Amino acid sequence: MHQEAEAILLTEIFRAQGKEVMPRDTYELENPVVKMPGTEFMEKISAALEYFIRERLNTDPEWKDIKVILSDANVPGEGEHKIMSFIRAQRSMENYDPNTRHCLHGHDADLIMLALASHEVHISILREFDNPNGRIPARFYQFVDIWILREYLELEMKTPGCKQDTERLIDDFIFICFLTGNDFIPQIPSLEINEFAVDLLIEVYKTTFNKMGGYMVNTDKIKDKYGAYLEVSRLEKFFHELSLCEEKILLKRYELQEKLLRKIQSEAAVKEWAKGEDRGEKKTSFAQQFFYPVETSLERKSDDVVRKNTRELWRTVSDIFCNKDDLFKNGACKQDKVSGVYC
């Protein structure tokens, strides 16, 4: 939703620059329905995977001693949840070796949370991401070692002067991260991960731990289906402390957005002025260009140019969201008075 709002704003700026883009209702960014279970696409993927595995097991000597379990779209459940269910099932076996090492590959950050929630130490997650420079098309890989992440969380989450249980701190960390949203629940509007919302949540948790009176998640009655897993009174205190930062965050976000808009408008004005000088044309103010864009007919522009402009627009939107200022470090959570609200 935030991206759509940015795209509408940038569309006006692009038109002010003489760049026509395709109407939003004439194209789709991606059609997720095509990749859903039960579709022809997923049936072909399943058949190709089964063929590939059988071919490798029969012909590749390096696959000779490998056990392969295929759980495709025909088996209900999300991939990462099925993987973690398999690991939990292994742990319940009598002859399970606690030093067994697991390596998971996937993009979804849920894998990290599920690995932490398993309280299994020896898990590594292999993640793939694009070239950060964006110029050369390349793929990069990174390892997330869960045992190292656990150590960092223990250092980051602990409240000075308190003797705390690392496993319960990790349970609380997983829970408070739900506030940034996931596949099943919406996020709190003032919490954006690319604005370092996780840092804010940890900071509020540490400063509120003693006021809350302890941990928020209670797993003592996990085998009792009527057991209470959340200490609601403690959660209320945490929400109260977190709410004191909300107005400041939203105001800071608005300020940064306005600053970015002014920068884009200024750059567009300079470009238009330079173009007018080169052609020796009569110059108009940027306000006139922005609020009364020069008419540009789609018939005078080829479809390729319009499509190119549209791709550029969405790349710009993506860049804006990838390079947002760090609100946490820019003072969104420091003690500061804004309309009677303290953060």
Side-chain angles (χ1 to χ4, degrees), residues 96-162:
Y96 178 70
D97 181 1
N99 292 316
T100 299
R101 294 182 177 272
H102 310 275
C103 183
L104 314 178
H105 174 256
H107 295 277
D108 203 331
D110 283 356
L111 275 176
I112 298 174
M113 293 301 177
L114 288 167
L116 286 171
S118 73
H119 295 280
E120 182 82 5
V121 177
H122 304 294
I123 295 182
S124 293
I125 299 173
L126 178 64
R127 307 192 75 204
E128 186 178 353
F129 60 98
D130 292 324
N131 178 13
N133 295 325
R135 296 191 185 95
I136 305 171
R139 310 296 288 181
F140 289 83
Y141 293 89
Q142 61 182 187
F143 262 118
V144 178
D145 292 322
I146 294 301
W147 62 88
I148 296 177
L149 177 58
R150 283 167 54 90
E151 291 175 4
Y152 274 103
L153 285 175
E154 183 179 5
L155 293 172
E156 288 289 328
M157 297 281 290
K158 278 200 170 180
T159 303
C162 292

Side-chain angles (χ1 to χ4, degrees), residues 142-200:
Q142 61 182 187
F143 262 118
V144 178
D145 292 322
I146 294 301
W147 62 88
I148 296 177
L149 177 58
R150 283 167 54 90
E151 291 175 4
Y152 274 103
L153 285 175
E154 183 179 5
L155 293 172
E156 288 289 328
M157 297 281 290
K158 278 200 170 180
T159 303
C162 292
K163 187 177 180 181
Q164 293 170 296
D165 183 345
T166 301
E167 304 304 325
R168 296 199 68 178
L169 284 176
I170 288 173
D171 286 335
D172 277 5
F173 171 76
I174 295 167
F175 175 73
I176 62 177
C177 284
F178 288 164
L179 302 179
T180 63
N182 58 29
D183 293 341
F184 309 102
I185 57 176
Q187 69 184 69
I188 292 179
S190 59
L191 297 178
E192 290 276 2
I193 289 179
N194 56 7
E195 294 174 353
F196 287 73
V198 176
D199 297 66
L200 169 61

Side-chain angles (χ1 to χ4, degrees), residues 36-282:
M36 291 181 69
T39 60
E40 183 180 354
F41 175 84
M42 292 306 295
E43 184 182 358
K44 290 179 180 178
I45 289 290
S46 297
L49 282 172
E50 188 171 346
Y51 172 81
F52 175 79
I53 292 169
R54 290 185 184 279
E55 191 269 338
R56 285 301 176 108
L57 288 172
N58 291 328
T59 62
D60 193 333
E62 293 186 358
W63 284 56
K64 183 177 64 174
D65 299 320
I66 294 178
K67 180 181 179 181
V68 180
I69 300 173
L70 175 61
S71 180
D72 56 19
N74 297 312
V75 181
E78 287 198 65
E80 57 265 30
H81 290 275
K82 290 192 283 186
I83 290 170
M84 297 312 300
S85 294
F86 175 77
I87 292 175
R88 284 193 291 271
Q90 280 188 316
R91 292 181 66 187
S92 64
M93 297 178 181
E94 290 185 5
N95 59 347
Y96 178 70
D97 181 1
N99 292 316
T100 299
R101 294 182 177 272
H102 310 275
C103 183
L104 314 178
H105 174 256
H107 295 277
D108 203 331
D110 283 356
L111 275 176
I112 298 174
M113 293 301 177
L114 288 167
L116 286 171
S118 73
H119 295 280
E120 182 82 5
V121 177
H122 304 294
I123 295 182
S124 293
I125 299 173
L126 178 64
R127 307 192 75 204
E128 186 178 353
F129 60 98
D130 292 324
N131 178 13
N133 295 325
R135 296 191 185 95
I136 305 171
R139 310 296 288 181
F140 289 83
Y141 293 89
Q142 61 182 187
F143 262 118
V144 178
D145 292 322
I146 294 301
W147 62 88
I148 296 177
L149 177 58
R150 283 167 54 90
E151 291 175 4
Y152 274 103
L153 285 175
E154 183 179 5
L155 293 172
E156 288 289 328
M157 297 281 290
K158 278 200 170 180
T159 303
C162 292
K163 187 177 180 181
Q164 293 170 296
D165 183 345
T166 301
E167 304 304 325
R168 296 199 68 178
L169 284 176
I170 288 173
D171 286 335
D172 277 5
F173 171 76
I174 295 167
F175 175 73
I176 62 177
C177 284
F178 288 164
L179 302 179
T180 63
N182 58 29
D183 293 341
F184 309 102
I185 57 176
Q187 69 184 69
I188 292 179
S190 59
L191 297 178
E192 290 276 2
I193 289 179
N194 56 7
E195 294 174 353
F196 287 73
V198 176
D199 297 66
L200 169 61
L201 290 168
I202 291 175
E203 188 68 22
V204 172
Y205 180 86
K206 288 166 62 177
T207 57
T208 316
F209 186 82
N210 289 327
K211 293 180 185 177
M212 291 190 300
Y215 310 98
M216 289 185 286
V217 177
N218 182 359
T219 57
D220 291 341
K221 299 180 180 180
I222 198 165
K223 292 183 180 179
D224 179 3
K225 65 179 181 179
Y226 299 109
Y229 307 137
L230 271 181
E231 301 288 351
V232 179
S233 61
R234 296 175 182 178
L235 178 59
E236 286 177 351
K237 292 174 183 176
F238 178 80
F239 275 142
H240 173 72
E241 293 295 323
L242 185 63
S243 69
L244 299 181
C245 294
E246 188 167 51
E247 184 175 354
K248 186 67 181 294
I249 289 172
L250 296 175
L251 287 172
K252 191 69 179 182
R253 185 183 292 172
Y254 175 77
E255 177 187 321
L256 293 172
Q257 189 177 38
E258 287 293 300
K259 182 179 177 181
L260 176 63
L261 176 59
R262 286 194 298 270
K263 180 182 176 183
I264 294 172
Q265 290 175 341
S266 176
E267 290 175 354
V270 170
K271 288 180 182 178
E272 286 299 308
W273 185 270
K275 284 181 183 177
E277 268 205 339
D278 291 342
R279 294 192 298 264
E281 295 175 355
K282 182 180 178 182

